[in-house]
Amino acid sequence: MTPPVPTVLVLDADPPPRLGQLTGRARIVRTDAAGLAARLPAADVLLVWDFASRAVREAWPGPGPRPRWVHTASAGVDHLMSPELAASDTVVTNARGVFDEPIAEYVAALVLALAKDLPRTLDLQRERTWRHREARRVAGTRACVVGSGPIGRAIVRTLKALGVTTALVGRVPRTGIHGPEDLDRLMSRADWVIAAAPLTEQTHGMFDARRFGVMQPSACFINVGRGPLVDEDALVQALTSRWIAAAALDVFATEPLPADSPLWGAPGLVVSPHMSGDTVGWQDDLADQFVELYERWAAGRSLLNVVDKKRGYVPGH
């Protein structure tokens, strides 16, 4: 007798993933957040396509069987990792590898834009004001990149190509990577402090008033990691008080960023809508990655990008 075709439950978002390659090899069932809990027990695999949703955290503790494998179309997993999921035998994978180079390019663009004062140039153009200024050189500056995963390492490679001296900080010190005990010292010397760390209990709120006080008045802060890495009120205070020169945030504690957030008006702050990794065709890249992982899973081979559910990220980097 032919074995049943596995059921892949997709927590959908618009546009939905293109999974035509799985026709005949998987039964695709789509759901929104409201229907997730009812459909989880019948699923063999859960694809979290709507990676902004926290529906998995809320639905997972319910009754009945749970999927053997969960894949999220994102680098971060904090949005889905409930204690029950962390304690289960379910394998969790992420989209490691899809966003590394695009985010590194975005960080480089921000570094160049801030160094050359491009936001102010565009403001002055809209005002039809001719105001000559002096810009900063990028080559020869120092960057402290926090987060030693693939994204952090890609940022380091890209900034080095611009002549920036880089220091990479990770959870554990090893060759070429500093440990957390070096962070304050490295931040105090950096022209660019770049957050690219996963969100864990240890990293939540790590960029607070004390850390912004450690930075040089001429330094700039960039966050492309997770929003809750940053105490946003402390960052507004740091910018308003000129403790630091400028900042750029692509991720926020609440997304979309509320219209009444003080971040919108903070002096020297560039706000972007969580787009640093989203290049043309990125959703197709994510769908292709899932199909490749599904083929490994269906063949009984070991999966790639397996998340350590206690740590909250893929280990080994």
Side-chain angles (χ1 to χ4, degrees), residues 126-170:
R126 282 187 288 269
E127 297 169 6
R128 298 173 180 261
T129 299
W130 181 282
R131 183 173 301 161
H132 181 269
R133 288 110 59 221
E134 294 179 343
R136 298 173 64 182
R137 288 198 63 182
V138 171
T141 59
R142 297 173 180 266
C144 174
V145 180
V146 184
S148 60
I151 292 173
R153 296 200 301 270
I155 291 170
V156 166
R157 290 193 301 270
T158 304
L159 292 182
K160 282 184 176 179
L162 295 175
V164 179
T165 300
T166 61
L168 185 60
V169 180

Side-chain angles (χ1 to χ4, degrees), residues 91-106:
V91 176
V92 176
T93 57
N94 72 353
R96 181 187 187 191
V98 172
F99 301 108
D100 307 353
E101 297 302 332
I103 291 178
E105 292 173 358
Y106 199 87

Side-chain angles (χ1 to χ4, degrees), residues 8 22 24 36 41-42 44 46 50 56 59 68 83 89 140 148 166 186 205 214 235 265 268 283 296 308:
V8 175
L22 296 183
L36 179 63
D44 298 293
L46 173 63
D50 184 0
V56 177
R68 291 172 284 161
D89 294 331
S148 60
T166 61
L186 294 169
V214 165
L235 176 58
Q283 290 160 324
R296 295 181 67 96
D308 183 320

Side-chain angles (χ1 to χ4, degrees), residues 7 9 35-45 59-60 62-68:
T7 296
L9 179 63
L36 179 63
R39 290 179 170 84
L40 271 179
D44 298 293
V45 179
W60 195 270
R66 289 295 179 259
R68 291 172 284 161

Side-chain angles (χ1 to χ4, degrees), residues 112-228:
L112 289 167
L114 293 173
K116 304 308 178 184
D117 199 23
L118 292 186
R120 183 60 178 151
T121 294
L122 295 174
D123 288 341
L124 291 170
Q125 179 180 345
R126 282 187 288 269
E127 297 169 6
R128 298 173 180 261
T129 299
W130 181 282
R131 183 173 301 161
H132 181 269
R133 288 110 59 221
E134 294 179 343
R136 298 173 64 182
R137 288 198 63 182
V138 171
T141 59
R142 297 173 180 266
C144 174
V145 180
V146 184
S148 60
I151 292 173
R153 296 200 301 270
I155 291 170
V156 166
R157 290 193 301 270
T158 304
L159 292 182
K160 282 184 176 179
L162 295 175
V164 179
T165 300
T166 61
L168 185 60
V169 180
R171 186 181 64 88
V172 178
R174 51 204 184 276
T175 303
I177 299 175
H178 297 267
E181 63 277 3
D182 292 334
L183 180 56
D184 286 356
R185 175 178 62 83
L186 294 169
M187 286 181 62
S188 70
R189 302 169 58 192
D191 301 287
W192 316 99
V193 175
I194 300 156
L199 181 61
T200 66
E201 290 182 3
Q202 291 72 35
T203 62
H204 192 286
M206 67 182 298
F207 295 101
D208 55 12
R210 187 189 68 77
R211 285 248 160 81
F212 291 125
V214 165
M215 294 172 61
Q216 302 181 84
S218 60
C220 300
F221 174 76
I222 297 171
N223 185 17
V224 291
R226 304 296 286 169

